[in-house]
Amino acid sequence: MAQSKRETERKYAAPAADDLSWLPGLTRADPVVSLAEAGVHELDALYYDTADLRLTRTGATLRRRTGGTDAGWHLKLPLPGDSREEVHAPLTSGDVPAELRELALSRTRGAALRPVMRLRSTRTLRLLLDADGGTLAELSVDAVRADAMLDGGGHAGWTELEVELADGADPALLDRVEKVLRKSGIDRAPGPSKVVRALSETTSLLADEPGARREPVPGSAGEHVLAYVARWAGALTDLDPAVRRDEPDAVHRMRTTARRLRGCLRTYRSVLDREVTDPLRRDLRWLAGELGAERDHEVLRERLVSGVRALPGELVLGPVAARLQVWDAAHRAQGRRQVVETLGSPRYMGLLEGLHALTTAPPLRPKAAGKPAKVLTRALMKEYGRLARRLDHALAMPAGPARDAAIHDARKAAKRVRYAAEAARPALGKPARRLGARVKAVQQVSGAQHDGVVTRDALRRIAISAHAAGEPGFTWGLLHGREEAAAGARERQLPDAWARARAAAAHKALHP
């Protein structure tokens, strides 16, 4: 079973090997008061990647390392700032462990992994200690020897420093250490990782990604749309390992990301060729739907559990908690199986390939070269018009299931307007931000109303099961009544939220 931890570090170009004059100065980096020798280690790391370096290009690394204190397989995935997630698996002599291979799938897109670089390092390790002798960080001086294992690869060697925070240490320590190092003339290393530097110095493969490229005109509508697509396509790739490991909220974030991408490709069809984007939209809709079972169950479970907890004990009659546990276990297992099967499917791999192709060789239409104020505003307001027609129709209907369904349809249109405004915001500024925020409020109110509809239906089905088992139905009926009252209150908030959104949409900047 692989283990995961957060690694926070910075790398620096080392001075001459025999120059240690900078070392005592590190005690000026508060709260460091002393340094302790921690030995010399011989490390031998074999780095794996695809033939076209898909892991490296997305900021990830995969290696098999012997020597030192953490020998084994390491998959490192990028996180914001100086941090990375390191997934560690036990040392094996065979192929890449299956779990790490799966966690890298969103980056490799199913391409074969092979050794691409061997790095051997002589590491001199020191500990940065506080006044109580506790370890704040590790300082490594690595003499590196790189041997490329790709066709035409060469050799390189260098020395670098690495400062890695101990668990729980203040990240601000890195800034204080860096200040001391800079005063000694020591600057950051030229690459984000050893393997990137080794590949850059021994091969030409990182110079550019293979395949045709069609760059948008700088400052154009196409550039803004592609920046949004690239951002969320990258987020989908980054979220994949978290979803596979069932991390909290990961399924929800991936589902929302798929919807953002799908909405953008729908709204800005005047910028990107529909022959390419329509199949991607269908696959993104499929992905969001497949993730929906687990995510919807998460939301519903929390709502039901919170509802029961909020009731006074004397109103909870019968084995309510046990009935919820049985219901939860059955639905959660089914949703999880569906997610795992989805991420292992050929259709999902094809979607990842399609998004990669879209961002590296975008199918730009003539309007992509146009001014964003004109092209993006027109597309955004067209999407807003669809929302206005749906919501006005829904609000004019009498209360009942048909109105509930119409509000739900309007809610989906509100999401598309919100995502369209997000994509346009860098170009259109405050008017797009305001419209997005007001429409988000409409989405939240209508979403809460829809959640109430779904919850009441679930409560009715649970009550039927309880009744069939001879259990009291009082508590389930009470919760159903409370949900109905709350839904009515939310529905009454909708006209005011919609009026505020209408006012934002009337801004003159959105009507050029």
Side-chain angles (χ1 to χ4, degrees):
M1 183 69 177
Q3 302 293 322
S4 174
K5 69 172 185 177
R6 176 183 285 257
E7 172 188 85
T8 303
E9 64 181 20
R10 292 182 187 175
K11 299 179 185 297
Y12 299 89
D18 57 350
D19 179 12
L20 297 177
S21 59
W22 51 273
L23 200 55
L26 292 177
T27 56
R28 298 196 302 271
D30 185 63
V32 178
V33 298
S34 64
L35 283 74
E37 302 283 344
V40 178
H41 304 274
E42 295 296 332
L43 311 178
D44 192 343
L46 194 59
Y47 283 80
Y48 286 71
D49 207 335
T50 63
D52 53 357
L53 305 179
R54 296 180 182 186
L55 290 179
T56 305
R57 293 181 193 281
T58 56
T61 61
L62 174 62
R63 73 186 180 203
R64 178 188 183 275
R65 189 165 78 179
T66 58
T69 58
D70 63 345
W73 287 91
H74 307 112
L75 174 64
K76 296 191 178 186
L77 303 171
L79 294 172
D82 298 309
S83 297
R84 291 188 292 179
E85 180 184 13
E86 180 180 298
V87 185
H88 180 279
L91 192 63
T92 62
S93 57
D95 202 359
V96 179
E99 184 174 359
L100 299 191
R101 189 184 298 276
E102 287 183 1
L103 293 177
L105 263 179
S106 65
R107 290 176 159 78
T108 64
R109 305 190 300 280
L113 290 165
R114 54 164 290 185
V116 298
M117 183 67 63
R118 183 182 185 188
L119 295 182
R120 286 169 289 180
S121 305
T122 299
R123 167 166 291 182
T124 303
L125 186 63
R126 295 175 175 86
L127 305 180
L128 277 59
L129 307 177
D130 61 18
D132 297 323
T135 300
L136 297 167
E138 292 184 350
L139 170 68
S140 306
V141 180
D142 295 338
V144 183
R145 304 173 300 285
D147 299 292
M149 305 181 71
L150 300 166
D151 294 341
H155 312 277
W158 68 90
T159 301
E160 71 178 33
L161 307 179
E162 186 177 291
V163 182
E164 180 178 347
L165 287 181
D167 292 342
D170 183 0
L173 175 61
L174 288 179
D175 292 331
R176 293 192 285 268
V177 168
E178 181 163 311
K179 184 177 181 181
V180 172
L181 293 176
R182 285 189 179 278
K183 286 184 177 180
S184 298
I186 299 174
D187 295 320
R188 291 278 190 102
S193 66
K194 290 183 177 67
V195 71
V196 168
R197 178 170 180 175
L199 287 166
S200 299
E201 294 191 11
T202 61
T203 75
S204 60
L205 293 176
L206 285 179
D208 195 14
E209 187 165 4
R213 281 182 172 272
R214 185 182 176 192
E215 299 291 348
V217 175
S220 65
E223 184 180 54
H224 285 283
V225 172
L226 283 174
Y228 188 82
V229 171
R231 172 189 173 187
W232 292 107
L236 195 72
T237 297
D238 290 342
L239 282 167
D240 177 286
V243 173
R244 292 178 188 276
R245 304 184 72 203
D246 200 17
E247 294 183 5
D249 205 38
V251 170
H252 169 59
R253 288 185 290 148
M254 177 178 269
R255 189 185 187 194
T256 302
T257 297
R259 286 174 167 170
R260 276 187 162 92
L261 285 166
R262 179 176 169 239
C264 179
L265 297 182
R266 172 195 165 101
T267 300
Y268 297 109
R269 289 173 290 186
S270 62
V271 173
L272 298 171
D273 190 345
R274 289 188 61 175
E275 289 190 10
V276 175
T277 61
D278 278 0
L280 290 175
R281 285 175 51 210
R282 288 192 290 270
D283 285 346
L284 287 164
R285 180 179 184 179
W286 162 81
L287 176 62
E290 294 298 301
L291 298 174
E294 183 171 3
R295 174 55 187 167
D296 290 346
H297 179 71
E298 287 177 356
V299 173
L300 186 54
R301 179 182 68 241
E302 178 59 32
R303 197 178 186 93
L304 292 175
V305 170
S306 298
V308 172
R309 286 175 178 168
L311 291 176
E314 64 270 18
L315 298 182
V316 181
L317 304 183
V320 171
R323 172 63 56 185
L324 270 180
Q325 287 176 353
V326 170
W327 168 85
D328 179 33
H331 287 78
R332 185 189 300 185
Q334 179 183 350
R336 187 61 197 163
R337 283 195 302 271
Q338 188 168 323
V339 168
V340 171
E341 290 172 2
T342 297
L343 298 192
S345 68
R347 185 172 185 178
Y348 176 66
M349 288 296 108
L351 171 60
L352 294 176
E353 282 287 1
L355 290 173
H356 174 74
L358 181 67
T359 55
T360 55
L364 299 172
R365 298 185 67 190
K367 285 188 177 181
K371 294 181 179 180
K374 180 178 180 180
V375 176
L376 302 187
T377 301
R378 181 173 297 173
L380 171 60
M381 296 312 293
K382 188 175 181 179
E383 205 69 77
Y384 170 79
R386 294 190 186 97
L387 166 62
R389 289 190 294 274
R390 290 190 184 188
L391 195 49
D392 287 343
H393 171 69
L395 292 176
M397 297 175 69
R403 177 183 168 101
D404 292 339
I407 290 176
H408 182 48
D409 283 343
R411 175 197 176 207
K412 291 186 283 187
K415 285 183 180 180
R416 289 193 289 270
V417 175
R418 174 189 166 194
Y419 299 150
E422 280 183 357
R425 180 178 172 182
L428 305 184
K430 189 174 181 179
R433 180 191 62 78
R434 183 186 295 111
L435 177 60
R438 301 280 177 84
V439 170
K440 181 180 180 181
V442 171
Q443 175 196 329
Q444 289 174 331
V445 173
S446 57
Q449 188 268 354
H450 176 69
D451 289 345
V453 173
V454 173
T455 304
R456 293 200 304 275
D457 182 61
L459 285 166
R460 185 184 64 84
R461 287 184 277 109
I462 293 173
I464 291 172
S465 298
H467 177 75
E471 300 166 7
F474 173 82
T475 301
W476 307 114
L478 179 59
L479 290 172
H480 188 284
R482 288 193 168 196
E483 283 290 345
E484 190 168 17
R490 296 183 194 103
E491 200 168 319
R492 289 190 290 274
Q493 297 172 2
L494 191 53
D496 286 344
W498 177 225
R500 288 172 56 81
R502 276 190 176 281
H507 194 283
K508 63 181 181 179
L510 299 177
H511 299 271

